[in-house]
Amino acid sequence: MEIINFDDTASLVSRYMLELRDKKIQQDPMRFRLNLDRIGEVMAYEISKRLAYKEVEVATPLGTAICHDIADRVVLATILRAGLPLHHGFLNFFDRAENAFVSAYRRYKEKGDSFDVLVEYLASPSIEGKTLILVDPMLATGQSMDLAYRAMLRKGTPARIHVASVIASRASVDYIKEHFPAEKTTVWIGAIDEEVNAHSYIVPGLGDAGDLAYGEKEDDNK
């Protein structure tokens, strides 16, 4: 399994990551969503280099040109709700992709920091033989991504899998390596942080991406 860490090479993504992590800039939710969107666009471009293409003849005003179009059938799948801005960035580039949406969330137990990850909603086309791009900005434990993938397997078996995340913990990367088919999975990450705290949040991370993008949600455990 190939792991691409954008933090290994300084680029525009480095600037977007800086703004996503900065707690002062985070106070502007529109800017926060924009930076997730822009990272999605960069990742989409890089993933596009791994796809299969076919030659297509195109009539121009002066003749015929040989161009290239994507041959792979792409399904862009996102974990609600934090993944929506990142999904939008991908969709800006993969504008003809089919789309899927999965709800995967943590339900904390009455005492302590332990939780179960629940999947309660799935809207997806068939993914049989297609290229599946799974998008979620935060990979803390890897469980939500894995459960979303398992839920989507009810819609078929993809030919290729790309997992895209903005920030991941080292433990979640190891989890993905263990639970996803290594021979057909590539993982794209903006940065890898080494620590996860007792609440299973990435440290230093950036906080709760969903809350920063869309406002704080009510805590069901209160």
Side-chain angles (χ1 to χ4, degrees), residues 4 19 24 51 59 67 71-72 92 98 102 108 113 124 135 149 151 158 165 173 175 186 189 206 213:
I4 292 94
E19 293 195 4
K24 293 181 180 178
L51 302 179
C67 299
D72 289 343
N92 284 342
E98 296 178 277
V102 185
Y108 285 90
D113 293 317
S124 173
V135 173
Y149 169 63
S165 185
V173 174
Y175 190 94
T186 304
I189 302 170
L206 54 76

Side-chain angles (χ1 to χ4, degrees), residues 10-220:
S11 69
L12 275 175
V13 173
S14 306
R15 175 65 197 183
Y16 305 152
M17 293 292 296
L18 181 157
E19 293 195 4
L20 283 173
R21 290 186 190 263
D22 191 312
K23 63 182 182 181
K24 293 181 180 178
I25 300 176
Q26 286 180 352
Q27 295 175 16
D28 181 353
M30 185 168 67
R31 185 75 179 180
F32 187 84
R33 293 193 300 271
L34 174 63
N35 283 319
L36 288 176
D37 188 302
R38 295 195 293 187
I39 290 175
E41 290 181 340
V42 174
M43 288 185 172
Y45 173 73
E46 293 299 327
I47 290 174
S48 75
K49 299 176 184 178
R50 306 295 184 93
L51 302 179
Y53 287 81
K54 58 186 177 182
E55 288 189 351
V56 179
E57 288 189 359
V58 176
T60 79
L62 299 176
T64 301
I66 302 299
C67 299
H68 294 85
D69 196 8
I70 296 172
D72 289 343
R73 295 172 296 166
V74 176
V75 176
L76 177 58
T78 295
I79 298 177
L80 301 173
R81 64 181 168 146
L84 289 174
L86 191 62
H87 179 102
H88 185 264
F90 273 87
L91 195 57
N92 284 342
F93 280 22
F94 291 120
D95 57 322
R96 295 189 177 183
E98 296 178 277
N99 292 264
F101 299 92
V102 185
S103 72
Y105 68 95
R106 298 177 180 183
R107 184 173 68 183
Y108 285 90
K109 299 178 181 178
E110 291 185 4
K111 294 183 180 180
D113 293 317
S114 61
F115 59 86
D116 296 317
V117 178
L118 302 181
V119 173
E120 293 188 345
Y121 174 82
L122 170 65
S124 173
S126 169
I127 63 171
E128 182 66 34
K130 299 177 182 178
T131 296
L132 177 64
I133 304 176
L134 277 166
V135 173
D136 193 13
M138 308 297 288
L139 279 180
T141 67
Q143 294 180 44
S144 295
M145 184 67 78
D146 181 44
L147 286 176
Y149 169 63
R150 301 296 166 188
M152 292 202 65
L153 289 179
R154 301 201 299 264
K155 304 297 184 178
T157 302
R160 287 288 307 166
I161 304 163
H162 295 276
V163 174
S165 185
V166 174
I167 298 179
S169 71
R170 181 67 62 184
S172 73
V173 174
D174 292 340
Y175 190 94
I176 295 298
K177 286 181 178 179
E178 182 178 350
H179 289 82
F180 277 66
E183 70 281 359
K184 62 180 181 180
T185 302
T186 304
V187 181
W188 306 78
I189 302 170
I192 299 175
D193 290 351
E194 297 298 329
E195 185 180 349
V196 176
N197 65 18
H199 205 58
S200 294
Y201 285 150
I202 303 170
V203 179
L206 54 76
D208 189 306
D211 286 358
L212 290 166
Y214 296 112
E216 292 186 9
K217 56 188 175 294
E218 184 178 1
D219 187 353
D220 292 333

